[in-house]
């Protein structure tokens, strides 16, 4: 989708700081990070919802999320993390291209997870 900012990042038209990638997913740092290393796992094909992904990609999605989370926890030395998908407007999805947030957490950081 031409106007999608994440499609532009995947296509290299807009720069981003890559954490890792696989054939079907890219992981890059969020530009408004809640903590150093806050990153987004995105499928390279434009879909809006977690429920729309090709069935065979769910395993790769979890594997790349695990690999990226391990790298972020090691490189940025955080204690804990949240994995979050805001799916749909009412859930707080702003960018209409499926993405999973890897949000590093530390005791006392005060970050409130959306209810
Ligand atoms: P949502 O609320 O849709 O779950 O979150 C979208 C996320 O995408 C936000 O955390 C926002 O900071 C991030 N984001 C939006 N545009 C860009 C961009 O151009 N580059 C990067 N790296 N992150 C972006
Ligand atoms: Zn897109």
């Amino acid at each position: 989708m031409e106007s999608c900012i994440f499609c532009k990042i995947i296509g290299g038209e807009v720069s981003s700081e890559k954490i890792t990638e696989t054939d079907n997913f890219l992981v890059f740092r969020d530009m408004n990070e809640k903590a150093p290393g806050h990153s987004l796992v995105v499928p390279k094909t434009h879909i809006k919802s977690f429920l729309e992904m090709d069935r065979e990609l769910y395993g790769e999605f979890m594997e790349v999320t695990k690999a990226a989370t391990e790298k972020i926890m090691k490189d940025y030395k955080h204690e804990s993390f949240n994995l979050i998908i805001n799916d749909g407007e009412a859930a707080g999805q702003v960018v209409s291209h499926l993405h999973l947030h890897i949000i590093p957490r530390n005791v006392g950081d005060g970050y409130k997870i959306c209810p």
Side-chain angles (χ1 to χ4, degrees):
M1 204 185 251
E2 278 173 29
S3 60
C4 172
I5 186 66
F6 288 177
C7 283
K8 287 182 178 166
I9 288 173
I10 291 158
E13 284 175 67
V14 171
S15 65
S16 68
E17 192 176 333
K18 183 168 82 174
I19 299 289
T20 189
E21 72 180 312
T22 62
D23 287 348
N24 295 295
F25 295 89
L26 176 66
V27 186
F28 57 91
R29 286 180 72 175
D30 192 301
M31 70 177 187
N32 297 307
E33 55 188 13
K34 306 280 187 199
H38 175 179
S39 296
L40 304 170
V41 184
V42 303
K44 290 181 177 175
T45 300
H46 183 92
I47 53 169
K48 182 177 181 191
S49 171
F50 178 70
L51 301 178
E52 292 170 5
M53 207 160 56
D54 284 345
R55 188 178 192 103
E56 60 270 22
L57 293 185
Y58 285 94
E60 185 180 332
F61 188 35
M62 286 296 101
E63 294 279 1
V64 70
T65 298
K66 179 175 187 286
T69 303
E70 286 173 339
K71 181 168 171 36
I72 290 162
M73 297 301 282
K74 180 166 169 278
D75 290 354
Y76 297 94
K77 300 184 180 14
H78 293 291
E79 297 170 4
S80 307
F81 57 88
N82 290 114
L83 302 178
I84 299 174
I85 296 173
N86 299 323
D87 202 300
E89 190 182 346
Q93 184 173 12
V94 173
V95 177
S96 295
H97 183 132
L98 172 62
H99 52 284
L100 180 149
H101 292 259
I102 302 170
I103 306 179
R105 301 299 307 276
N106 295 286
V107 170
D109 62 16
Y111 175 56
K112 298 273 187 289
I113 298 297
C114 186

